Amino acid sequence: MRVWIVMEELQIPYTTTLVNARDKTAWYLKEINPRGKVPAIRDAATGAVVYESLIINEYLADRFDGAHALLPSEPAARATLRLWNEHLDTQLAPAHFTLLMNKNETQAVAKEEALRLALQRYEEGIVGPYLLGDAFTLADAAALPFFERLVFSLEHFKAARPLDDFPRTKAWFKHASARASFEATRRPKDKLVELYERFLSVDYKFGGLNKS
């Protein structure tokens, strides 16, 4: 979804091809992504094929965003943006998922604390009104769909309100989620319920993410 948000932000004309995530066809593995993951893009003008959503988004910004609005040209700002994305993927997303999927109540407090610490980084680091300041960037585009799922899933399945203790983060999410690009791409709530019910029906083993 974060790639979709960027394409909407940049008003890039595109067509979509549905790929069954659990049954990849040979053409997709051979021609698009040998790892079989989605999303991936093929640039119709250049023929370039790119996969991994954060890499796709940087490609799209470099290719179509001449004003450098989504991906700053200044090295320090780019590094900050990438550090936000790294925190999202390695800290917030795993903390959310392991807490949501947890079925061992003796582990609940530790998992709640891991999520709190991941969210505290946002609370302390947001410049405002967007993550890096006045401009909506790839860091916001990457985080938005994850925060949508975080808030919705924990409220729906855990009766929790994860952003209530993080007012600056909550204000960022409200402000950023009002963008037309997010409204055009957000997943309907019934689809989110369906997605997480499927996850919750599985007995996950988390390895390094989670010892339970």
Side-chain angles (χ1 to χ4, degrees):
M1 211 173 111
R2 44 194 181 180
V3 171
W4 195 5
I5 289 172
V6 169
M7 289 193 293
E8 288 289 329
E9 283 285 335
L10 296 175
Q11 294 292 288
I12 302 168
Y14 61 87
T15 58
T16 59
T17 300
L18 283 177
V19 176
N20 187 332
R22 288 172 287 182
D23 184 24
K24 312 295 189 311
T25 57
W27 73 266
Y28 187 79
L29 294 170
K30 181 179 180 180
E31 299 178 25
I32 306 298
N33 187 348
R35 298 179 184 176
K37 295 170 64 178
V38 293
I41 65 164
R42 177 189 279 140
D43 188 327
T46 67
V49 172
V50 188
Y51 48 87
E52 297 298 331
S53 58
L54 295 180
I55 299 173
I56 294 171
N57 281 352
E58 290 207 13
Y59 173 85
L60 293 173
D62 281 335
R63 174 92 165 77
F64 297 100
D65 184 17
H68 298 288
L70 294 182
L71 183 59
S73 57
E74 201 275 317
R78 282 197 177 213
T80 300
L81 184 154
R82 289 168 178 149
L83 286 170
W84 274 121
N85 288 346
E86 190 274 342
H87 179 77
L88 173 70
D89 281 358
T90 67
Q91 305 299 315
L92 182 66
H96 164 226
F97 193 73
T98 54
L99 173 60
L100 181 66
M101 300 298 125
N102 180 50
K103 297 179 175 69
N104 182 349
E105 286 306 311
T106 65
Q107 297 291 319
V109 172
K111 296 184 191 307
E112 289 167 0
E113 177 63 8
L115 180 62
R116 186 193 70 77
L117 289 173
L119 286 170
Q120 190 63 37
R121 169 71 180 89
Y122 284 88
E123 191 68 10
E124 295 173 356
I126 291 171
V127 176
Y130 297 110
L131 293 179
L132 273 66
D134 291 334
F136 181 89
T137 70
L138 295 185
D140 301 284
L144 263 176
F146 280 88
F147 272 85
E148 177 195 25
R149 295 194 289 269
L150 167 77
V151 170
F152 177 82
S153 63
L154 293 182
E155 286 185 356
H156 187 87
F157 293 103
K158 297 285 189 180
R161 299 177 63 85
L163 299 188
D164 278 3
D165 292 334
F166 303 95
R168 297 186 72 244
T169 308
K170 190 173 185 178
W172 162 80
F173 180 56
K174 181 179 180 180
H175 182 71
S177 62
R179 292 185 75 86
S181 61
F182 181 67
E183 290 294 334
T185 59
R186 70 188 310 166
R187 190 174 301 199
K189 289 185 177 180
D190 62 322
K191 296 298 183 183
L192 286 173
V193 171
E194 181 182 317
L195 172 70
Y196 282 109
E197 283 180 344
R198 188 164 65 246
F199 284 155
L200 287 163
S201 69
V202 176
D203 184 19
Y204 278 92
K205 302 298 181 184
F206 294 105
L209 292 177
N210 176 318
K211 299 300 182 184
S212 63

